[in-house]
Amino acid sequence: MLELAQIRSDFPALSQKVHGKDLVYLDSAASALKAAPVIKALHQHYKKETANVHRGVHFLSEQGTRKYEATRLAVQRFINAKHDHEVIFTKGTTDSLNLVAFSFGEKFIAPGDEILISTMEHHSNIVPWQLMAERRGALVKEIPINDAGEIDLEAYKKLLNPKVKLVSLCHISNTLGTINPIKEMTTMAHEIGAKFCVDAAQSAPHMKIDVQDLDCDFLAFSGHKIYGPTGVGILYGKEELLNQMPPYQGGGAMIEKVSFTGTTYNHLPEKFEAGTPAIAEVIALKDAVEYIESLGWDDIHQQEQELLEYATKKLLEIEGLKIIGTAKEKTSVISFVIKDVHPHDLGTLLDQQGVAVRTGHHCTQPLMERFNVNATVRASFSVYNNKEDVDALMAALNKSLKLL
Ligand code: 7TS
């Protein structure tokens, strides 16, 4: 069991009032609160350790480089990558997916090729593929979902054909909370020779990721959703693929030799890390990773599943409330609508009572269309949430509904 009181004290943001009320933070799917060791590492870097990495011989630069590379090793362990150079630092999930779409697209996508994505994808796992398809004359096709918000595996099987070069899918849906059968779907894609890219933005905080076990070809996630800093993300890619792919951006650090007669590129991972990176943020990401590991995945899972069950049961007591996303395999994200009530109005009233939720389309407009809604209210729970948070949400909801 997680020591919730201890965990809550690790997140300084929780001990504040919003609109005069204790903050109840139920928007971790958008961005998680920052753990104290992460804040300390950022502070330390900006206060005393500022220097650029991979280019100085002086003490601070060498120390910075050592710490920056230590995060790469921590992330390698976090996702069980075979090699540390398969871990590329980016700006975030969006940046990682754009990198794959551009670079993989340039090398491997020809006119008439197909890319499969599902109805439940975040816009950042839709639009980069559409842009790439436009550039390369390829086609983006949709893997449908059922009414519970689960992938239609039969339809997926039918869509797989030799023209499909890549499948890109969220591990967990940010709107529905559905956990997708990534390993099984990767095996199916590989059987027809397609590569598989995992958008792990929502799974990285909730479950152990093992890229070798999943056997995925690419995997992307963001630091800010795992209690770490903004401005830093991860792209994992299999070495043999990354080696064949052209650089995404040109600039410092990604080159071997620059000349007007021909430029050559650095090896992995620097080939994909042009320019000065988010140094402090990368360094502090190590503290985020270690923080999660110190909690332990089994306990995280148990705590979040208990909250999911409790919150689902409580919410369904409200008359006219409908949960969007009722998959069997689901994480602690609950989207809902209440008859005739506009989610935005509800979100604003909840906020006035100190309860932070997200309202809107959650960057998943095709999914909203599939469920025939314009918007939902989304409560997303994390390791620092407790049953009192659910009770506070319920009290605030009931009060808001009386006002509306
Ligand atoms: N993929 C998924 C599944 C996401 O949930 C998000 C962000 C992204 C990609 C993009 O991540 P970024 O860090 O590059 O922005 N999701 C959300 C959300 O649900 N509310 O705000 C951001």
Side-chain angles (χ1 to χ4, degrees):
M1 282 291 283
L2 293 181
E3 277 298 328
L4 269 185
Q6 172 60 44
I7 290 176
R8 287 176 73 81
S9 72
D10 292 336
F11 291 85
L14 284 175
S15 56
Q16 67 184 309
K17 291 195 186 296
V18 168
H19 303 305
K21 304 275 180 355
D22 287 337
L23 171 66
V24 176
Y25 192 75
L26 302 180
D27 196 21
S28 300
S31 201
L33 299 178
K34 307 309 166 211
V38 172
I39 300 166
K40 190 172 163 208
L42 284 171
H43 187 247
Q44 173 74 7
H45 181 85
Y46 284 121
K47 191 171 163 197
K48 285 193 134 171
E49 297 180 353
T50 294
N52 214 325
V53 289
H54 295 144
R55 60 197 85 195
V57 291
H58 62 80
F59 174 79
L60 289 179
S61 180
E62 285 189 348
Q63 174 182 261
T65 304
R66 245 190 343 269
K67 287 190 165 195
Y68 183 91
E69 289 305 323
T71 300
R72 206 184 302 279
L73 294 173
V75 172
Q76 179 194 357
R77 184 187 64 233
F78 187 63
I79 59 172
N80 193 30
K82 199 166 177 184
H83 308 288
D84 60 347
H85 54 258
E86 293 178 319
V87 173
I88 314 281
F89 293 123
T90 65
K91 287 189 290 184
T93 308
T94 304
D95 194 31
S96 299
L97 293 171
N98 274 278
L99 190 164
V100 179
F102 178 83
S103 180
F104 181 86
E106 288 293 295
K107 176 76 186 178
F108 293 108
I109 302 291
D113 283 347
E114 296 176 4
I115 297 111
L116 301 185
I117 58 177
S118 84
T119 314
M120 70 174 91
E121 300 311 315
H122 186 279
H123 294 166
S124 65
N125 197 26
I126 300 176
V127 186
W129 309 115
Q130 290 177 327
L131 290 169
M132 179 255 257
E134 229 170 85
R135 274 195 310 271
R136 310 296 300 168
L139 238 101
V140 176
K141 289 198 168 173
E142 177 188 356
I143 309 165
I145 59 174
N146 65 20
D147 291 341
E150 295 161 324
I151 292 287
D152 180 341
L153 283 174
E154 276 310 307
Y156 174 55
K157 210 170 175 178
K158 286 199 189 110
L159 281 164
L160 288 170
N161 76 81
K163 279 192 278 184
V164 177
K165 293 292 162 359
L166 188 101
V167 181
S168 190
L169 212 90
C170 59
H171 201 172
I172 291 181
S173 155
N174 66 315
T175 303
L176 306 169
T178 309
I179 304 172
N180 287 319
I182 290 296
K183 189 173 172 179
E184 184 185 345
M185 291 179 74
T186 301
T187 307
M188 288 163 78
H190 286 167
E191 275 163 11
I192 56 119
K195 303 299 179 200
F196 203 99
C197 176
V198 182
D199 170 357
Q202 294 295 340
S203 55
H206 294 294
M207 56 201 282
K208 171 71 190 160
I209 289 172
D210 183 332
V211 290
Q212 293 189 72
D213 180 54
L214 292 174
D215 198 27
C216 55
D217 300 285
F218 302 102
L219 184 134
F221 62 98
S222 299
H224 70 97
K225 292 194 206 281
I226 58 167
Y227 322 110
T230 50
V232 56
I234 301 297
L235 173 67
Y236 158 82
K238 279 186 185 162
E239 179 187 39
E240 79 251 37
L241 274 172
L242 292 176
N243 269 334
Q244 292 178 70
M245 285 158 48
Y248 172 46
Q249 293 183 321
M254 53 74 69
I255 52 90
E256 183 186 59
K257 183 173 184 334
V258 177
S259 132
F260 289 113
T261 53
T263 290
T264 53
Y265 309 122
N266 211 335
H267 46 69
L268 290 175
E270 281 83 10
K271 182 171 103 176
F272 290 110
E273 292 181 9
T276 299
I279 300 165
E281 290 72 18
V282 168
I283 289 172
L285 184 65
K286 177 165 175 281
D287 296 274
V289 163
E290 289 173 355
Y291 183 79
I292 297 186
E293 288 173 337
S294 75
L295 300 180
W297 288 111
D298 288 347
D299 286 357
I300 291 174
H301 181 74
Q302 189 189 343
Q303 133 88 354
E304 293 182 346
Q305 284 299 312
E306 273 175 27
L307 269 186
L308 173 66
E309 256 174 58
Y310 182 65
T312 303
K313 185 169 146 277
K314 286 276 170 192
L315 282 168
L316 288 174
E317 288 169 7
I318 292 179
E319 207 191 307
L321 185 144
K322 185 177 171 212
I323 291 179
I324 308 283
T326 50
K328 266 192 229 86
E329 296 292 326
K330 188 177 164 173
T331 193
S332 51
V333 169
I334 309 180
S335 272
F336 60 88
V337 288
I338 303 178
K339 221 169 47 185
D340 302 331
V341 177
H342 197 285
H344 190 74
D345 294 341
L346 203 50
T348 306
L349 287 172
L350 291 177
D351 172 57
Q352 284 166 11
Q353 297 166 81
V355 179
V357 293
R358 186 172 169 190
T359 61
H361 54 63
H362 317 294
C363 301
T364 52
Q365 284 179 340
L367 186 62
M368 295 291 112
E369 213 178 305
R370 167 67 177 78
F371 283 97
N372 206 16
V373 291
N374 291 320
T376 73
V377 178
R378 181 188 69 183
S380 51
F381 301 89
S382 191
V383 288
Y384 38 68
N385 291 119
N386 54 21
K387 287 191 175 164
E388 287 75 34
D389 289 340
V390 178
D391 295 340
L393 168 69
M394 292 307 297
L397 262 177
N398 283 318
K399 194 167 164 191
S400 307
L401 290 172
K402 279 197 189 112
L403 290 170
L404 283 166

